[in-house]
Amino acid sequence: MLNKDNLIYKINNKTATVGIVGLGYVGLPLAVEFAKGGYKVLGFDIQEKKVNMINNGENYISDVMNEELKFVIENRRLKASNEIKFLKDTDVILICVPTPLDKYQQPDISYVKESTESVGKYLHEGMLVILESTTYPGTTEELVLPTLEKMSGLKCEKDFYLAFSPERVDPGNSIYHTANTAKVVGGVGRNSTEIAATLYRNVLNSEIFEVSTPRVAEMEKILENTYRNINIGLINEMAVICNKMNINIWEVIEAAKTKPYGFQAFYPGPGLGGHCIPLDPYYLTWKAREYDYHTRLIETSGEINNFMPQYIVQRAASILNKFNKALNKANILILGIAYKSDIDDYRESPALKIIENFQKQGSEVEFYDPYISSYMYKGKEHYGIKLTQEVLRNADLVVITTAHKKYNYSFIQENSIFIFDTRNATKNVQNKDNIELL
Ligand code: SAJ
């Protein structure tokens, strides 16, 4: 077991060089953690702009502390490159590339495939490879393993080691981050699991939970995010029903939360954003077809969540009706582009679809988001405006789509004709006469 003992030795005495492929919201925090933990880290990203920013100590991920990035760069613990050949100087490689869906809601596994092929080119004896990207159960053993063996001529579990360990980055979460969130690890064999677990135990101060195979680890990640997707779909459906029955869904949730067991609160909203929750379940839907199984619950939840942006505009239309106004030519002010509060990420944000739906009805739409001054949507750049008393007073309807803490909700309430609050963001505002909740 020379390779295994040798690699464990290098991991434990921190002489192993760690390679991170993909320096996004998962890869960069991981690179900084390993560098802080005393490892030499080589980060790879295809985007030269990111590579240059990192090497200049310029941070672009809000979950990474600026001074920590500067420290590891200045102390030469971390170096970024867009030259994949640097992988030959590594002992451990973590693949943290995107796993999006294509326009048919089918998994786009091309980033995983391409990065695996790049790793295969430089794979040498005694290396450990870990895939962290959320993906369908079976990816590691059916795609990554054969590609690495074929390209290198090496044998897994003998010459090199391979595991899957799902990332658990919750963008904007001030309590849980890379270093203190439990990590699940599933190796292709006992040796791979042991080595991968040893690696994470050397740098994270959280539980490292070992499972028997990569597909268990792949499936548990899909379960985590499908659980959220389904429960958000449920609460969105409850919100629609409660509105019809003139029941305040937000009060219902607060009441349900008094149950100390067996209930976790989810909240309705304008739709499902982000690059994980709306997408990951469809990796399972796609794979399940291979087993002649149709994931009805996932698809139904998706239909409900995808309906919400349209529903928001329907509700806005009925509010405007009360003022004898139509959507057509109405001035609509959207507060919030980000897919969730207090972050600057608008991937899959429902606000983008809501704006498009309003515009299709002839509304004049402006937006203000303290974190996002402009956004790209369907090839066009959309620019926000400054939030002033005049802008608020000119809006026939203000729609709160993201509950950023930075908004001054009293100022907004005092200066708006009417507000449709899809996030219960105005819960602490005293005067609610001109506010309607989702
Ligand atoms: N949302 C609701 N109601 C809720 C919760 C969320 O409408 O009760 C919406 C949010 O506004 C947002 C979307 O769902 O548009 C997704 O929000 P999220 O916080 O569930 O998802 P992400 O993508 O920001 O981060 C998640 C992580 N979130 C949490 O665990 C709280 C976690 O599921 C994963 O670690 C991460 O995605 C990932 O990378 O999979």
Side-chain angles (χ1 to χ4, degrees), residues 58-345:
E58 289 164 44
N59 184 21
Y60 51 82
I61 296 285
S62 50
D63 290 346
V64 171
M65 314 264 280
N66 295 342
E67 55 283 0
E68 288 190 346
L69 177 64
K70 279 199 175 58
F71 176 80
V72 294
I73 292 291
E74 282 157 12
N75 289 278
R76 300 184 189 293
R77 305 296 322 158
L78 169 61
K79 186 172 173 1
S81 165
N82 63 343
E83 304 270 320
I84 198 71
K85 64 176 182 310
F86 90 88
L87 291 175
K88 66 183 175 8
D89 304 327
T90 59
D91 303 293
V92 172
I93 295 180
L94 296 115
I95 302 175
C96 310
V97 294
T99 44
L101 295 179
D102 64 20
K103 58 177 183 272
Y104 306 106
Q105 295 248 334
Q106 304 293 316
D108 172 2
I109 204 78
S110 59
Y111 299 96
V112 169
K113 203 166 172 307
E114 282 151 28
S115 39
T116 301
E117 285 162 0
S118 305
V119 169
K121 258 191 233 135
Y122 299 98
L123 193 70
H124 53 74
E125 278 215 43
M127 275 185 88
L128 166 66
V129 179
I130 300 177
L131 177 62
E132 288 223 352
S133 308
T134 305
T135 183
Y136 61 84
T139 304
T140 304
E141 289 154 298
E142 296 166 14
L143 169 67
V144 178
L145 174 58
T147 304
L148 292 180
E149 287 191 333
K150 186 162 146 280
M151 292 190 73
S152 65
L154 298 176
K155 193 89 190 87
C156 190
E157 275 289 285
K158 178 176 153 301
D159 305 321
F160 73 94
Y161 305 94
L162 174 60
F164 181 82
S165 178
E167 55 87 2
R168 276 178 169 170
V169 176
D170 178 21
N173 192 321
S174 56
I175 301 166
Y176 293 107
H177 38 83
T178 300
N180 69 355
T181 301
K183 204 95 169 65
V184 171
V185 179
V188 164
R190 206 36 248 143
N191 295 327
S192 297
T193 304
E194 187 185 333
I195 299 168
T198 303
L199 176 77
Y200 287 119
R201 286 188 178 114
N202 268 281
V203 76
L204 304 180
N205 37 41
S206 57
E207 181 190 8
I208 307 300
F209 188 85
E210 298 176 21
V211 293
S212 55
T213 63
R215 61 184 55 218
V216 168
E218 289 158 340
M219 184 60 100
E220 79 81 14
K221 173 65 181 177
I222 293 285
L223 172 60
E224 281 176 36
N225 287 2
T226 303
Y227 161 79
R228 293 185 68 73
N229 185 302
I230 301 281
N231 279 288
I232 293 165
L234 167 67
I235 203 67
N236 281 334
E237 182 161 72
M238 295 291 271
V240 174
I241 299 169
C242 280
N243 176 259
K244 288 180 180 304
M245 299 171 78
N246 197 20
I247 297 171
N248 181 329
I249 181 64
W250 306 93
E251 191 184 357
V252 168
I253 296 165
E254 287 312 302
K257 275 165 69 176
T258 59
K259 182 177 179 186
Y261 54 87
F263 177 79
Q264 180 183 353
F266 285 82
Y267 299 92
L272 201 47
H275 36 283
C276 314
I277 310 300
L279 312 182
D280 296 344
Y282 292 99
Y283 271 72
L284 180 61
T285 297
W286 175 81
K287 188 66 177 175
R289 287 195 194 114
E290 200 177 299
Y291 298 84
D292 294 329
Y293 187 79
H294 181 54
T295 55
R296 287 158 297 173
L297 200 52
I298 291 174
E299 309 243 6
T300 304
S301 170
E303 282 162 27
I304 295 167
N305 288 324
N306 293 340
F307 164 66
M308 293 310 284
Q310 200 183 317
Y311 174 71
I312 296 304
V313 176
Q314 287 171 6
R315 287 284 301 276
S318 45
I319 292 170
L320 288 169
N321 268 345
K322 293 176 195 160
F323 297 89
N324 295 322
K325 290 178 184 167
L327 284 175
N328 190 23
K329 296 194 173 41
N331 291 326
I332 305 292
L333 175 62
I334 298 289
L335 294 184
I337 294 296
Y339 74 83
K340 69 177 188 179
S341 47
D342 312 325
I343 64 169
D344 62 359
D345 191 340

